[in-house]
């Protein structure tokens, strides 16, 4: 990178990464403190994103509504729907925006230099100078508004996000995921619904909505990512001159709140809607969920994915088999979820019954104790690790551009620690170490520490109920 072009930034780190086949440059914008991560390489499928920490404090979906509305026209691109217009005329290989429980990200990818520059321009203008301040109707259209379909008819609520979330709230799998998160983090950022709960969305006012944007959509709270070929110095210079230099340093408190660990298991019984034709029998979800330290504990995170493979993912793994043998549900699955401050591990039996609850819990605990006592099948651990390592080395993400996946995965540690922009994706050494630990009792000890002796856990029983939905 030509240093003369990036004098508006401090270079925090610059080095070669063989793992990522890139020159890595980490920078900080001098005036605003905006964080910048650059991966320079010869990939012509370039990626740019700007992201912000956007921790919600309620379930009005404000972060999600902002995401939709900033893409409805901005100062330099006053089109009604630049997003759709762009998608049509552009050579992009990816163009979207995503709201997560604690952040919002605006990524674009393109193989064409001019197109890439243009997309970057439209997105930066959208997030920093959206028309939402001038036109309240954008908020109403994307968020929520009252509607009367016919004269003297009933007042109903409509809105793009409102309708989208109503759909999401009627899918039982989505309801389960959400209630698991609510159960584990009741006092933190992750205890509310960032996408918006249809019941709470109408509580959001236009002023509250604008305040959220003012507060979090500032360079000082931003993360800028560039990947691929071309002149990165030139791009950073342009970003500074066109946008960042117009702002002062205004740090905002946006770190997600930490959930204090529980003293004991939390037992929760809750409901999801079914129609009159659906049956209540064999339709309950049983889920056992554990918070596993912090997401910045990279080694532990990957170790858990290996452990999960040997415990419950693969066919015939001890926990999956024991639950299926006991005929608890027709489907048993598990997942390790990171990308939030405190990751969690979850074991689920689907199409089960409330009456199986005790057995479900006993089998989980007995199986885990047995593994701690008698050890894992080491071959299963090797297999799990090999799969993970192969995927990592191959770095083939199907239809998704590599730069996009690198950038989004990098965010899983970068968001929580400025000094860890790449730890999540530059992990060749971690895999080596995890392999060397298979012949020790490391993985068995993880079960003891993070599952059996861990009190920050919940047992959620999600039962079907008729008439829950209007
Ligand atoms: Zn949406």
């Amino acid at each position: 990178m030509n240093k003369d072009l990036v004098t508006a930034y401090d270079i925090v780190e610059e080095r070669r990464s063989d793992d990522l086949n890139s020159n890595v440059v980490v920078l900080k914008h001098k005036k605003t403190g905006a964080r910048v991560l650059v991966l320079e390489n010869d990939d012509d499928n370039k990626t740019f994103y700007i992201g912000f920490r956007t921790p919600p404090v309620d379930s009005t979906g404000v972060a999600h509504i902002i995401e939709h509305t900033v893409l409805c026209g901005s100062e330099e691109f006053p089109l009604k729907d630049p997003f759709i217009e762009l998608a049509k005329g552009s050579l992009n290989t990816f163009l979207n925006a995503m709201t997560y429980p604690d952040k919002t990200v605006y990524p674009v990818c393109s193989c064409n230099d001019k197109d890439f520059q243009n997309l970057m321009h439209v997105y930066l203008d959208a997030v920093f100078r959206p028309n939402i301040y001038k036109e309240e109707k954008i908020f109403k259209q994307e968020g929520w508004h009252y509607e009367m379909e016919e004269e003297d008819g009933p007042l109903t609520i409509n809105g793009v996000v409102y309708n989208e979330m109503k759909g999401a709230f009627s899918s039982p799998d989505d309801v389960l995921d959400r209630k698991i998160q609510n159960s584990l983090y009741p006092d933190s950022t992750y205890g509310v619904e960032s996408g918006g709960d249809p019941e709470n969305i109408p509580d959001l006012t236009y002023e509250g909505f604008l305040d959220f944007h003012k507060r979090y959509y500032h360079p000082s709270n931003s993360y800028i990512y560039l990947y691929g070929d071309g002149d990165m110095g030139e791009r950073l210079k342009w970003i500074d001159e066109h946008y960042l230099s117009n702002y002062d340093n205004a740090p905002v408190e946006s770190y997600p709140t930490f959930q204090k660990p529980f003293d004991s298991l939390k037992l929760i019984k809750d409901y999801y809607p079914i129609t009159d034709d659906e049956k209540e029998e064999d339709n309950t979800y049983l889920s056992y969920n554990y918070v596993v330290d912090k997401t910045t504990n990279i080694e532990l995170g990957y170790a858990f994915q290996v452990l999960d493979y040997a415990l419950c993912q693969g066919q015939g793994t001890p926990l999956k088999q024991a639950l299926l043998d006991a005929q608890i549900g027709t489907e048993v699955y598990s997942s390790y979820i990171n990308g939030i401050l405190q990751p969690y591990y979850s074991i689920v039996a689907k199409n089960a019954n409330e009456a199986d609850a005790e057995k479900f819990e006993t089998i989980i605990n007995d199986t885990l104790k047995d593994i701690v006592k008698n050890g894992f099948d080491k071959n299963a651990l090797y297999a799990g690790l090999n799969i993970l390592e192969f995927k990592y080395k191959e770095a083939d993400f199907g239809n998704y551009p590599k730069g996009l996946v690198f950038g989004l995965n990098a965010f899983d540690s970068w968001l929580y620690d400025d000094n860890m922009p790449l730890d999540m994706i530059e992990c060749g050494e971690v895999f080596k170490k995890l392999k060397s630990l298979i012949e020790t009792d490391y993985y068995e000890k993880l079960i003891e520490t993070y599952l059996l002796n861990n009190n920050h856990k919940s047992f959620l029983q999600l039962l079907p109920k008729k008439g829950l939905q209007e």
Side-chain angles (χ1 to χ4, degrees), residues 160-199:
V160 177
V161 169
Y162 179 80
N163 292 334
E164 190 185 311
M165 293 315 290
K166 250 179 125 176
F169 269 62
S170 58
S171 142
D173 286 359
D174 287 355
V175 173
L176 177 73
D177 289 349
R178 213 179 52 250
K179 301 234 181 226
I180 288 175
Q181 284 211 19
N182 295 166
S183 76
L184 293 171
Y185 315 101
D187 316 310
S188 95
T189 303
Y190 307 107
V192 299
E193 176 51 54
S194 59
D197 182 331
E199 246 182 65

Side-chain angles (χ1 to χ4, degrees), residues 35 152 198 235 253 279 282 302 389 434 442 470:
R35 306 157 179 93
D152 300 328
R235 288 177 189 135
E253 188 44 68
K279 58 186 175 64
D282 298 331
Y302 282 113
E389 202 176 12
L434 288 178
Y442 172 77
E470 86 269 30

